[in-house]
Amino acid sequence: MGMAFTRTEWNKMVACSSSFCKYDDYNWDWSLQHVSLNCMKEKLQVMMMKGPRVFHIGECGVHHKKSDCDSNLVMDKVKNILKTANTFLFPAKLSVGRMGLKKKVKLKKGNGGWGDKRDHDMCRNMTSVG
């Protein structure tokens, strides 16, 4: 997953940094959803692409479960996807549609892994001004 946002959005997140940094979940995307639903006046909006421009190529890393691991095969797969999608990557015209949520989002308790006060302090330090 890739992400980009404006300085204005960043400032909104900084204002909610305590909520973000203290949410006990090791996945930052769930922490962002938590902040959006519980701290921000205006909820974050997401633009979802039909095809990826950001790829996970860490198949041989920590979470790798298979015995065969060849990073060259992963890179070949990504190159093949990009070659196939090349004509769609830079369109002359872009259409944006709005879709509402089908159901009310109920945010569950965090997945854990982010409960250490030192992690919270480090996270808040990254957003402190001055």
Side-chain angles (χ1 to χ4, degrees), residues 77-121:
K77 182 179 175 183
V78 170
K79 287 177 184 177
N80 205 17
I81 291 169
L82 290 172
K83 184 177 176 183
T84 304
N86 188 44
T87 57
F88 304 105
L89 291 177
F90 301 99
K93 182 178 161 189
L94 178 66
S95 301
V96 178
R98 291 193 174 267
M99 295 180 64
L101 291 175
K102 291 184 169 74
K103 60 180 181 176
K104 180 92 171 150
V105 176
K106 183 180 179 195
L107 192 61
K108 60 183 176 50
K109 184 178 171 233
N111 291 307
W114 195 258
D116 191 312
K117 184 182 179 322
R118 294 170 295 183
D119 290 330
H120 301 171
D121 292 343

Side-chain angles (χ1 to χ4, degrees), residues 4-5 8 11 19 26 32 36 41-42 46 53 55 63 65 67 79 88 93 101 108 116 130:
F5 45 86
T8 302
N11 290 336
S19 179
Y26 63 92
L32 281 177
S36 179
K41 290 178 185 171
E42 295 176 14
V46 175
R53 288 176 177 246
F55 297 89
H63 300 293
K65 303 281 190 249
S67 59
K79 287 177 184 177
F88 304 105
K93 182 178 161 189
L101 291 175
K108 60 183 176 50
D116 191 312

Side-chain angles (χ1 to χ4, degrees), residues 2 13-15 52 55 59 71 76 84 94 128-129:
M13 288 190 283
V14 167
F55 297 89
E59 299 295 319
S71 57
D76 288 343
T84 304
L94 178 66
S128 66
V129 180

